[in-house]
Amino acid sequence: MSWIKRVVRIGVLSAALLSLGTGLLLASPAGRLLDQALTAHFAAMNQRREQQQLTWWDGIQCQLLYTGIAGGGRLFFPEGGKIIWHYLHGHGTDLWLSPNYIRASPVILRSLAQLKEGESRQFRFRQSEDWRLSYAVNPFSLKKNSGNVLLWQLMEFETGAETFTTLNYGMGQFQLPDALIYSLHPQTYTVYCKWQL
């Protein structure tokens, strides 16, 4: 039994050292080079998509990338993860999000303060103002009623190469062209969120 404990300890220590090493690498200047390389890689892939020259390897990378964003994103950015998953697998049906986080977002509260009762308007914001909200809806429309608020956005990503989302993973960030998702043939839909005032 003692050899099993020893193997487990070595495995746990190795995993901890690997995680620490990876974290240090990503937080270092070498991590910024990795960020730049990822940005360039995805931009080149999107250019091949525009020219209808995606390779089978590009297709696999896109599947892994967006499955990872949709699945992994649900842990840290649940609304954004749900939106990407639904964009790829929702068959164009509407999606209703829980208001728990959205109604307390500083961006939403500031936007609501600009609306009179019965008024609606579209809002856009910088991602750094609320990373979590930016991965879900940006821009978004709000309508302020007497007793509730309705938020909505048509989920149809931009097709131009100049439109991108910055993915911030805590120790760095890289840019992903919004149009790259079209390599997976997503279905346009509308996302909604409603809560009481």
Side-chain angles (χ1 to χ4, degrees):
M1 281 293 221
S2 65
W3 69 271
I4 293 175
K5 289 181 181 178
R6 199 171 317 150
V7 168
V8 169
R9 281 188 202 138
I10 290 171
V12 168
L13 181 59
S14 297
L17 289 173
L18 181 62
S19 295
L20 177 62
T22 302
L24 290 173
L25 174 69
L26 291 175
S28 75
R32 300 305 60 79
L33 292 174
L34 177 64
D35 293 342
Q36 292 170 6
L38 283 171
T39 296
H41 175 72
F42 291 124
M45 191 183 298
N46 189 51
Q47 189 173 32
R48 289 192 296 276
R49 181 201 61 80
E50 288 175 342
Q51 298 166 349
Q52 299 181 358
Q53 295 177 348
L54 280 175
T55 66
W56 65 271
W57 178 237
D58 290 335
I60 290 171
Q61 289 179 76
C62 287
Q63 282 286 350
L64 292 172
L65 172 68
Y66 288 106
T67 299
I69 289 171
R74 287 189 185 205
L75 295 174
F76 304 104
F77 309 105
E79 299 82 10
K82 285 180 184 175
I83 280 173
I84 294 296
W85 183 263
H86 199 78
Y87 200 25
L88 297 173
H89 306 287
H91 308 291
T93 60
D94 293 343
L95 175 67
W96 285 85
L97 293 176
S98 165
N100 291 343
Y101 176 80
I102 293 173
R103 68 178 170 211
S105 163
V107 169
I108 297 294
L109 294 173
R110 185 177 63 238
S111 301
L112 268 177
Q114 297 175 39
L115 293 176
K116 297 176 184 168
E117 187 177 308
E119 187 180 11
S120 65
R121 190 169 10 146
Q122 187 178 70
F123 295 91
R124 184 178 297 272
F125 62 99
R126 290 188 312 275
Q127 280 191 270
S128 59
E129 294 178 76
D130 187 336
W131 288 104
R132 181 170 169 176
L133 185 66
S134 78
Y135 295 139
V137 290
N138 191 13
F140 60 88
S141 294
L142 274 181
K143 181 167 186 183
K144 185 178 190 178
N145 298 310
S146 61
N148 61 57
V149 175
L150 178 66
L151 175 146
W152 71 95
Q153 180 185 346
L154 176 66
M155 298 309 300
E156 184 173 39
F157 284 26
E158 294 288 331
T159 57
E162 68 283 349
T163 306
F164 58 85
T165 297
T166 299
L167 296 180
N168 183 337
Y169 59 88
M171 292 173 275
Q173 54 192 26
F174 62 93
Q175 295 176 339
L176 183 64
D178 284 4
L180 186 59
I181 199 168
Y182 286 109
S183 63
L184 301 179
H185 311 290
Q187 295 275 330
T188 300
Y189 71 96
T190 303
V191 62
Y192 296 96
C193 185
K194 188 174 185 178
W195 63 94
Q196 301 300 312
L197 284 175

